[in-house]
Amino acid sequence: DTEVTQTPKHLVMGMTNKKSLKCEQHMGHRAMYWYKQKAKKPPELMFVYSYEKLSINESVPSRFSPECPNSSLLNLHLHALQPEDSALYLCASSQTHSGMAGNTIYFGEGSWLTVV
Amino acid sequence: AQKVTQAQTEISVVEKEDVTLDCVYETRDTTYYLFWYKQPPSGELVFLIRRNSFDEQNEISGRYSWNFQKSTSSFNFTITASQVVDSAVYFCALSEVLDNFNKFYFGSGTKLNVKP
């Protein structure tokens, strides 16, 4: 079973709605990630938090707003999304050891988002 | 620049056949890590294996085996005696270290269909 938990599993929202995706891990990891995955494509990195600070924003539109309240939690706030934002959103976490590229990234089960 | 190529988009086999999934990578780093993940239809990316650039020993785990060859920049994955439960999309990834976290470069994935 995955140790990265994501809620909700499925979400349908209108283009004027505000919703949030939530992610939690209890592996003591200090790096957390949001990925977006469209059908038949690999995951695309959106955001990276390292030690609760935003380290990477891969030019993601402002209608996606990440938040890292503490070392175990990661949220993705959604507002005024477009139908093309419909995708699988994956949360992940990893250890943080400077200079080591070998930290395994562990993924959650994902949140399937449909924007109508 | 980092790049991972999975040339096989989709492979179909009959149960109990052996199947090899190809992965070719490009990197200028001398130290790097390679990963394989499995993504069943449920969505979660399941970690299968991590291999560092210093260790070219092949690895076997049950019906799974991996062949890492630096000379050809390849990290191929073989499933022996395939089963229907092996049906999934398989991603190969190359890891780059940035500060205290990893950035993954995913291949485009290979969809494996195992028919009974």
Side-chain angles (χ1 to χ4, degrees):
Chain A
D1 289 341
T2 181
E3 295 184 72
V4 179
T5 304
Q6 291 187 241
T7 56
K9 180 76 170 172
H10 297 275
L11 177 63
V12 179
M13 61 184 291
M15 289 189 284
T16 59
N17 291 161
K18 284 185 180 181
K19 297 286 186 183
S20 297
L21 305 180
K22 297 185 184 301
C23 175
E24 187 171 9
Q25 58 88 13
H26 293 290
M27 294 182 281
H29 292 168
R30 301 301 296 275
M32 296 188 76
Y33 310 74
W34 279 115
Y35 283 83
K36 173 183 177 180
Q37 187 178 20
K38 301 283 279 184
K40 299 186 178 182
K41 296 289 187 182
E44 295 178 15
L45 183 63
M46 300 175 71
F47 303 103
V48 181
Y49 274 83
S50 177
Y51 295 97
E52 296 86 67
K53 288 184 169 40
L54 183 63
S55 296
I56 285 187
N57 175 342
E58 294 280 24
S59 303
V60 179
S62 59
R63 57 185 184 269
F64 296 92
S65 175
E67 177 195 20
C68 189
N70 59 53
S71 59
S72 300
L73 295 174
L74 186 66
N75 299 323
L76 186 62
H77 302 298
L78 314 170
H79 174 54
L81 295 192
Q82 303 297 310
E84 58 265 30
D85 296 321
S86 298
L88 175 66
Y89 288 84
L90 291 158
C91 175
S93 70
S94 73
Q95 291 180 331
T96 49
H97 296 290
S98 180
M100 288 183 61
N103 297 319
T104 299
I105 295 182
Y106 295 93
F107 289 83
E109 292 186 350
S111 293
W112 295 88
L113 173 67
T114 302
V115 182
V116 297
Chain B
Q2 320 279 26
K3 184 179 179 182
V4 176
T5 301
Q6 293 179 257
Q8 304 151 309
T9 304
E10 188 165 351
I11 301 174
S12 292
V13 299
V14 177
E15 210 171 16
K16 297 185 183 177
E17 285 186 15
D18 298 347
V19 59
T20 295
L21 309 183
D22 298 332
C23 173
V24 175
Y25 62 92
E26 297 176 28
T27 180
R28 294 182 180 176
D29 294 342
T30 54
T31 301
Y32 53 89
Y33 282 76
L34 295 160
F35 297 79
W36 276 95
Y37 285 84
K38 173 183 180 180
Q39 188 174 40
S42 59
E44 178 188 0
L45 273 96
V46 179
F47 166 68
L48 296 177
I49 191 171
R50 177 187 72 184
R51 174 51 50 87
N52 72 54
S53 53
F54 303 121
D55 183 2
E56 289 195 68
Q57 276 193 329
N58 292 333
E59 183 154 342
I60 298 174
S61 176
R63 296 184 297 107
Y64 295 171
S65 63
W66 290 269
N67 184 328
F68 176 35
Q69 293 193 336
K70 287 179 74 172
S71 60
T72 56
S73 297
S74 65
F75 186 41
N76 297 337
F77 172 31
T78 298
I79 302 175
T80 303
S82 59
Q83 299 176 2
V84 173
V85 293
D86 296 327
S87 296
V89 179
Y90 291 85
F91 289 100
C92 180
L94 173 66
S95 174
E96 174 184 46
V97 66
L98 298 171
D99 295 327
N100 291 314
F101 55 88
N102 289 12
K103 183 171 182 178
F104 272 16
Y105 295 84
F106 284 96
S108 54
T110 297
K111 184 176 182 182
L112 176 63
N113 302 306
V114 182
K115 303 175 182 178

